[in-house]
């Protein structure tokens, strides 16, 4: 059988050739085309592929105009889309060295609000040219410097009156008269209040804005330092008259003062913890700490405790300057609380709508 198969193979080829040469010719043509295709493919592309062009980064030009005269101050060019407004302020400072970034106020409209430094420049762009209005905010100071200066003054001024300098009081009268325990307790409470503020400024509070005008610090220092001098002069005076109800009034008021100071501290810590964690989706809720339970009644319990401290201090010392200062603090804290309460209503309406701003009785 093997022989038959071998013999049949050439016979079969002859039969194909005898039947016609068309099939062999087509087979040769297919083979030639295949070889030619392999040659072309191995040689590379007949046409070079198109070169991919890198996408160009779109830069913005920021035109800065004076808010009063509408005159052009400068143009900050080649601003990348990822830049913030603070980057623009730094470039503006290089072009105009007399304007530091902290004192530059930029607005989209002449009567519009000042833009924050964290604003992305691309979010302001309508075209490749962005027009901003410049306002000189004046000399600026950091918030930490602001509060440290504002609170250090009352602490030192009160101690100067407490030691009864001869330049302030009559030296002979100061040595003869006996000091009531309320005087020493008032000095302790007053120093404790401002030491707490200083420590919270350094280790607790995180300020959203970086700077504030220097004139605001001067106003705040004039208010706190001036009232501290007036308060300390009367309480530490050799002829100071003690409270009407004696030690009971002083003790109860001092206890209330210490409770308000503790409450104010724990509320500030709770608010700072909320800001650090970044969870701003809900209003701060009370914890196991009973001093935070005031969150159930008011939206700004830190102002409530602050006012309570000064009212308690007024009862403890029973002096007119402290009463006037406490009255002004109630007004100021109420304004701040109402302003914050409106912001809370926009952010946390379901949680805040049934709460008061600062005083639990008024809803």
């Amino acid at each position: 059988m093997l022989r038959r198969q071998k013999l049949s193979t050439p016979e079969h080829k002859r039969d194909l050739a005898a039947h016609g040469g068309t099939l062999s010719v087509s087979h040769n043509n297919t083979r030639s085309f295949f070889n030619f295709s392999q040659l072309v493919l191995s040689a590379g592309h007949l046409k070079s592929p198109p070169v991919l062009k890198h996408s160009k980064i779109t830069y913005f030009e920021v035109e800065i105009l004076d808010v009063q005269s509408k005159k052009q101050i400068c143009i900050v060019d080649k601003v990348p889309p990822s830049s913030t407004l603070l980057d623009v302020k730094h470039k503006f400072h290089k072009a105009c060295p007399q304007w530091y970034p902290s004192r530059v106020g930029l607005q989209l409209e002449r009567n519009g609000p000042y833009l924050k430094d964290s604003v992305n420049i691309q979010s302001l762009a309508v075209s490749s040219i962005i027009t901003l209005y410049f306002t000189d905010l004046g000399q600026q100071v950091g918030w930490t410097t602001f509060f440290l200066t504002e609170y250090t003054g009352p602490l030192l001024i009160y101690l100067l009156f407490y030691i009864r300098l001869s330049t302030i009081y009559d030296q002979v009268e100061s040595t003869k008269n006996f000091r009531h325990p309320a005087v020493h307790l008032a000095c302790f409470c007053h120093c404790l209040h401002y030491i707490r503020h200083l420590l919270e400024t350094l280790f607790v509070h995180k300020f959203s804005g970086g700077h504030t005008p220097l004139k605001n610090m001067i106003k705040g220092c004039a208010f706190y330092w001036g009232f501290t001098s007036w308060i300390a002069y009367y309480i530490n005076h050799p002829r100071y008259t003690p409270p009407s109800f004696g030690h009971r009034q002083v003790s109860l008021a001092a206890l209330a003062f210490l409770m308000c100071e503790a409450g104010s501290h724990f509320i500030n810590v709770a608010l700072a913890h909320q800001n650090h964690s970044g969870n701003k989706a809900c209003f701060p809720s009370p914890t196991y700490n009973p001093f935070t339970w005031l969150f159930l009644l008011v939206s700004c319990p830190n102002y409530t405790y602050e006012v309570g401290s000064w009212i308690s201090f007024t009862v403890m010392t029973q002096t007119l300057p402290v009463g006037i200062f406490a009255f002004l603090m109630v007004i100021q804290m109420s304004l701040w609380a109402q302003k914050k309460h409106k912001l809370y209503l926009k952010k946390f309406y379901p949680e805040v709508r049934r709460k008061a701003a600062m005083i639990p009785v008024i809803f």
Side-chain angles (χ1 to χ4, degrees), residues 272-315:
H273 178 72
Q274 180 202 20
N275 294 333
H276 292 171
S277 62
N279 183 19
K280 298 184 180 180
C282 60
F283 187 75
S285 58
T287 63
Y288 63 89
N289 189 340
F291 289 103
T292 62
W293 295 350
L294 200 56
F295 273 121
L296 297 172
L297 301 177
V298 296
S299 60
C300 302
N302 51 331
Y303 295 144
T304 307
Y305 282 123
E306 186 76 12
V307 168
S309 295
W310 285 111
I311 294 176
S312 303
F313 194 77
T314 304
V315 176

Side-chain angles (χ1 to χ4, degrees), residues 137-141 146 211-220:
L137 301 178
Q139 187 64 38
Q140 303 286 302
V141 294
F146 176 91
H211 300 84
T212 185
L214 178 63
K215 60 181 181 180
N216 290 346
M217 189 180 76
I218 296 175
K219 291 178 181 178

Side-chain angles (χ1 to χ4, degrees), residues 249 253 309-320 322-327:
Q249 177 179 344
S309 295
W310 285 111
I311 294 176
S312 303
F313 194 77
T314 304
V315 176
M316 181 176 61
T317 58
Q318 195 174 315
T319 54
L320 180 63
V322 182
I324 296 175
F325 181 76
F327 176 73

Side-chain angles (χ1 to χ4, degrees), residues 1 3 13 23 31 39 43 81 99 118 131 141 177 189 196 212 219 221 253 261 290 300 309 313 342:
M1 293 180 65
R3 290 179 180 178
K13 291 181 179 179
L23 184 60
R31 188 176 184 85
L39 179 64
W99 308 118
S118 59
T131 302
V141 294
N177 287 357
C189 292
R196 177 183 64 81
T212 185
K219 291 178 181 178
C221 290
E261 286 294 302
C300 302
S309 295
F313 194 77
K342 291 180 180 179

Side-chain angles (χ1 to χ4, degrees), residues 218-288:
I218 296 175
K219 291 178 181 178
C221 290
F223 178 78
Y224 280 96
W225 294 16
F227 263 102
T228 299
S229 302
W230 191 24
I231 290 169
Y233 176 81
Y234 274 85
I235 296 177
N236 297 287
H237 199 279
R239 297 182 181 179
Y240 168 73
T241 303
S244 304
F245 297 95
H247 295 287
R248 180 177 296 179
Q249 177 179 344
V250 174
S251 301
L252 292 177
L255 181 61
F257 178 87
L258 294 176
M259 292 181 63
C260 290
E261 286 294 302
S264 183
H265 171 70
F266 287 119
I267 292 297
N268 289 331
V269 170
L271 293 174
H273 178 72
Q274 180 202 20
N275 294 333
H276 292 171
S277 62
N279 183 19
K280 298 184 180 180
C282 60
F283 187 75
S285 58
T287 63
Y288 63 89

Side-chain angles (χ1 to χ4, degrees), residues 12 108 112 153 289:
H12 178 67
L108 271 177
N289 189 340

